Amino acid sequence: MHIRATVAAVTGALALSALVVPAAQAADAPSGKAAFSSAAAGADSGTTTASTLDVTFSDMKVNSGKNIVVGTTNVVSFPVTYTVTHASDIDTSSDNFATGPMIYHGSSLDTADNVFISDDPATCTSASSTVLNCKGVIYIRPADGELFNSDAGTWGAGALAVTSNGDEKTQDGLGSTKVQRYSKLTVNAGPEPVAKGKTITSTGKLSRANWEDNAYRGYTNQPVKLQFRKAGTSTYTTVKTVYSDQYGNLKATATASYDGYWRFSFAGTTTTPAVNATGDYVDVQ
């Protein structure tokens, strides 16, 4: 569930309480998705200082420690695991207690300009009378306009919990992750075949997801390696480094010596993951 800070409206306690109301009141409660959406909005509003629930969060791991790479249309989902330590007198049964993970763009939840929270409450198991091991799933839907290009980079991680009587806890600073713009890289080497000692020209393009128009656009002025793998071997060797132009286009030349595969290789940046083009075979005669 995606929330922008500018649409914050209600507190996390009020929203999450709808998830844990007694069964007799369940018919009047909003859906889990609606409740968690409101909870994120409440966190955006600055509920990090409202901590009436004796709960702490720790050991948070987002997407098993891997970066979150988002394209233009496909829905991306990733797991978040964490530990909840609570006072012994708190009833953590599902009809009284709910918790969920979130990631946020900004230095803290108080100043975040974008937040994603799990659509539904996390699933938790008891490790002891005061410890829960929890796992939630967060979804990002780029086709719905949930991201700006400026959102690419480092995000913080946090969590929230609430009981049916309105006690709440929201905590940020539980770790970090990177949300990156999916990258693509192509290559076409020729002529094919080519005489030994002649020049091979490799052209291609480095592009990445534009979250604001749902298209792939050239990634400009980036260093990209031209690499070669001799036929019958498994290792690529860097021949030279070139830079993408204002449209993301690439062009590099090299001398034809052996049959083999030519490719471009991009090391990646904070906002964009590394990517290798599929090698293009050239027969040298």
Side-chain angles (χ1 to χ4, degrees):
M1 188 64 61
H2 156 266
I3 300 296
R4 282 252 166 221
T6 53
V7 300
V10 297
T11 68
L14 175 63
L16 274 177
S17 294
L19 296 177
V20 291
V21 293
Q25 302 175 33
D28 297 325
S31 69
K33 288 188 177 183
F36 260 92
S37 176
S38 297
D44 274 343
S45 298
T47 59
T48 53
T49 58
S51 304
T52 60
L53 185 60
D54 191 1
V55 165
T56 58
F57 308 95
S58 61
D59 300 324
M60 179 162 280
K61 181 170 287 188
V62 180
N63 199 31
S64 302
K66 299 177 291 185
N67 295 338
I68 301 160
V69 180
V70 183
T72 59
T73 57
N74 290 343
V75 176
V76 174
S77 64
F78 53 93
V80 182
T81 58
Y82 59 103
T83 298
V84 177
T85 303
H86 58 89
S88 58
D89 60 347
I90 295 178
D91 176 10
T92 58
S93 58
S94 60
D95 61 347
N96 181 71
F97 180 90
T99 178
M102 66 178 74
I103 62 170
Y104 55 90
H105 186 246
S107 59
S108 70
L109 273 171
D110 288 331
T111 60
D113 56 22
N114 203 355
V115 177
F116 286 93
I117 187 169
S118 55
D119 285 9
D120 299 301
T123 300
C124 301
T125 58
S126 296
S128 72
S129 60
T130 58
V131 176
L132 299 172
N133 292 326
C134 299
K135 179 180 179 180
V137 178
I138 296 176
Y139 293 85
I140 299 179
R141 301 171 177 87
D144 293 343
E146 295 185 342
L147 288 166
F148 292 152
N149 292 333
S150 58
D151 289 334
T154 301
W155 287 54
L160 66 159
V162 70
T163 62
S164 58
N165 62 7
D167 292 335
E168 67 161 314
K169 175 65 176 290
T170 305
Q171 186 176 338
D172 57 9
L174 297 175
S176 64
T177 187
K178 285 186 174 62
V179 179
Q180 297 181 310
R181 298 164 63 177
Y182 189 94
S183 55
K184 294 182 178 182
L185 186 56
T186 62
V187 67
N188 182 30
E192 304 176 58
V194 64
K196 187 172 183 178
K198 295 297 184 179
T199 297
I200 289 178
T201 301
S202 297
T203 58
K205 184 171 184 175
L206 174 64
S207 59
R208 60 177 178 167
N210 185 316
W211 292 330
E212 294 170 18
D213 64 7
N214 300 117
Y216 282 86
R217 304 297 181 184
Y219 196 6
T220 65
N221 196 34
Q222 296 301 309
V224 178
K225 296 176 181 179
L226 174 68
Q227 297 183 328
F228 176 72
R229 175 169 67 87
K230 186 178 179 181
T233 68
S234 59
T235 303
Y236 277 92
T237 301
T238 297
V239 176
K240 63 172 63 174
T241 298
V242 295
Y243 282 78
S244 57
D245 69 10
Q246 61 181 324
Y247 304 105
N249 295 323
L250 298 159
K251 183 177 181 179
T253 58
T255 300
S257 299
Y258 306 98
D259 294 347
Y261 299 85
W262 296 89
R263 76 176 185 184
F264 286 119
S265 178
F266 175 60
T269 63
T270 299
T271 62
T272 309
V275 62
N276 294 318
T278 300
D280 187 18
Y281 182 80
V282 175
D283 179 23
V284 176
Q285 297 180 347

